[in-house]
Amino acid sequence: MNGATAHSPLLRVAQVSKYFQTTVRAIHALHGVSFQVSAGEFVALLGPSGSGKSTLLRMIGGLLTPDEGQIFFRLEPLREPNAAIGYVFQRTNLMPWRTVVDNVLLPIQVEQGCVDARNRQQAGELLALVGLQGFEQSYPRQLSGGMQQRVVLARTLMQQPQLLLMDEPFGALDALTRERLNLELLRIHREHAMTVLMVTHNIAEAVFMADRVLVLSERPGRLVADLAIDLPRPRTLAMLGTEHFGHLTLAVRAQIGAVEGV
């Protein structure tokens, strides 16, 4: 059966485990992780450092293979990178010698061997969507860190992914820039009905952004909590000061605390 139906999950992670062999010893990174994500959901992934969050994201992106268990995307086993899955890393990895618009067009150029006027129009529209209209001919060195991450987001959206994976994408930015980009991402998620799975270390960010928060244990990472976030959408900064938001962050923090033994 090809493609997900209206009632089937877009992504299903089934009893996934991962091991790494170092020169000193074997590392058990993840153990028996299972969850699913429906189309249009925004899911945040939290856990202590070393719990395997980024490893799990790389497996979902097809960059690593599970040693046990299986990952399904649109009901099909996922064994390699899929063009319908976009990936935004913490590091921007922009090509410094290419202009902003040419960085955005890079995936299309790699895939097709060339770009046409329609591709350039789409790239311009995406740059406008992320608030970078007028910076098309700038170079990465001329942009702030937050603006560079917007370019990366536009480049990823150029591939029209059904699932967007984000690995601590705003972690290196100052608090105000991070807050603005969170709002920008929520707007794009709402307007394009995107499905997002985002790794973060920030509890308040996870609660503010997500429909659900998944919590991993210390290594080997096990899924120890799957918490629904019932804040209404669209989300606003005013929600950060509400009693209900505080209760939700405390509930997530309690799970993290239980995991870390504090």
Side-chain angles (χ1 to χ4, degrees), residues 6-7 19 38 50 97-98 117 154 208 220 223 229 237 243 250 255 261:
H7 302 290
Y19 305 85
S38 298
W97 58 88
R98 295 176 71 102
F208 181 61
L223 184 64
I229 305 299
L237 293 179
E243 183 177 0
L250 286 174
Q255 293 294 333

Side-chain angles (χ1 to χ4, degrees), residues 189-204:
H189 168 256
R190 181 176 70 252
E191 293 180 0
H192 291 260
M194 292 183 60
T195 308
V196 182
L197 177 60
M198 182 177 75
V199 166
T200 177
H201 286 91
N202 189 305
I203 294 173

Side-chain angles (χ1 to χ4, degrees), residues 19 34 44 60 72 78 83 87 100 111 144-145 173 200 202 231 241 259:
Y19 305 85
S34 296
I60 295 170
F72 298 88
L78 182 67
Y87 207 134
V100 163
E111 180 181 347
S144 67
L173 305 176
T200 177
N202 189 305
L231 292 172
V259 164

Side-chain angles (χ1 to χ4, degrees), residues 136-211:
E136 293 86 353
Q137 300 306 317
S138 299
Y139 288 89
R141 65 179 180 275
Q142 298 171 310
L143 306 179
S144 67
M147 294 169 76
Q148 290 182 25
Q149 275 293 17
R150 289 170 185 255
V151 177
V152 173
L153 182 55
R155 182 179 65 187
T156 306
L157 294 177
M158 190 73 187
Q159 299 171 268
Q160 298 181 321
Q162 292 187 30
L163 174 63
L164 180 62
L165 306 177
M166 308 189 81
D167 192 357
E168 195 72 21
F170 310 137
L173 305 176
D174 65 87
L176 289 177
T177 301
R178 185 170 184 157
E179 190 175 83
R180 286 195 294 268
L181 287 181
N182 282 340
L183 290 171
E184 194 76 14
L185 179 57
L186 285 176
R187 180 179 63 82
I188 293 170
H189 168 256
R190 181 176 70 252
E191 293 180 0
H192 291 260
M194 292 183 60
T195 308
V196 182
L197 177 60
M198 182 177 75
V199 166
T200 177
H201 286 91
N202 189 305
I203 294 173
E205 179 177 67
V207 172
F208 181 61
M209 303 287 283
D211 299 304

Side-chain angles (χ1 to χ4, degrees), residues 7-251:
H7 302 290
S8 63
L10 181 68
L11 170 72
R12 183 163 72 90
V13 177
Q15 292 295 314
V16 163
S17 298
K18 185 65 181 176
Y19 305 85
F20 293 102
Q21 182 65 51
T22 70
T23 56
V24 179
R25 61 190 175 94
I27 295 175
H28 191 177
L30 288 162
H31 181 77
V33 175
S34 296
F35 64 91
Q36 60 188 40
V37 178
S38 298
E41 272 196 299
F42 196 124
V43 178
L45 183 62
L46 284 169
S49 295
S51 60
K53 300 183 297 297
S54 294
T55 297
L56 180 56
L57 216 64
R58 286 176 177 271
M59 287 192 289
I60 295 170
L63 303 177
L64 292 174
T65 304
D67 292 312
E68 297 172 2
Q70 205 161 10
I71 297 172
F72 298 88
F73 178 65
R74 298 184 299 194
L75 302 179
E76 298 291 336
L78 182 67
R79 299 188 178 93
E80 60 186 3
N82 189 306
I85 300 177
Y87 207 134
V88 177
F89 299 90
Q90 182 171 349
R91 295 184 61 182
T92 58
N93 294 324
L94 295 173
M95 303 296 183
W97 58 88
R98 295 176 71 102
T99 63
V100 163
V101 70
D102 285 338
N103 266 287
V104 172
L105 287 165
L106 182 60
I108 303 301
Q109 185 175 5
V110 170
E111 180 181 347
Q112 299 178 176
C114 63
V115 296
D116 56 26
R118 183 181 58 82
N119 298 141
R120 290 194 172 275
Q121 179 182 352
Q122 183 183 7
E125 290 171 354
L126 286 172
L127 286 169
L129 179 69
V130 300
L132 287 177
Q133 189 170 22
F135 291 90
E136 293 86 353
Q137 300 306 317
S138 299
Y139 288 89
R141 65 179 180 275
Q142 298 171 310
L143 306 179
S144 67
M147 294 169 76
Q148 290 182 25
Q149 275 293 17
R150 289 170 185 255
V151 177
V152 173
L153 182 55
R155 182 179 65 187
T156 306
L157 294 177
M158 190 73 187
Q159 299 171 268
Q160 298 181 321
Q162 292 187 30
L163 174 63
L164 180 62
L165 306 177
M166 308 189 81
D167 192 357
E168 195 72 21
F170 310 137
L173 305 176
D174 65 87
L176 289 177
T177 301
R178 185 170 184 157
E179 190 175 83
R180 286 195 294 268
L181 287 181
N182 282 340
L183 290 171
E184 194 76 14
L185 179 57
L186 285 176
R187 180 179 63 82
I188 293 170
H189 168 256
R190 181 176 70 252
E191 293 180 0
H192 291 260
M194 292 183 60
T195 308
V196 182
L197 177 60
M198 182 177 75
V199 166
T200 177
H201 286 91
N202 189 305
I203 294 173
E205 179 177 67
V207 172
F208 181 61
M209 303 287 283
D211 299 304
R212 290 160 53 213
V213 175
L214 308 180
V215 180
L216 292 181
S217 70
E218 292 184 330
R219 188 171 61 231
R222 296 175 172 85
L223 184 64
V224 296
D226 185 342
L227 304 173
I229 305 299
D230 60 353
L231 292 172
R233 294 191 183 274
R235 305 278 165 88
T236 65
L237 293 179
M239 292 178 182
L240 299 176
T242 63
E243 183 177 0
H244 187 50
F245 184 86
H247 287 322
L248 289 169
T249 57
L250 286 174

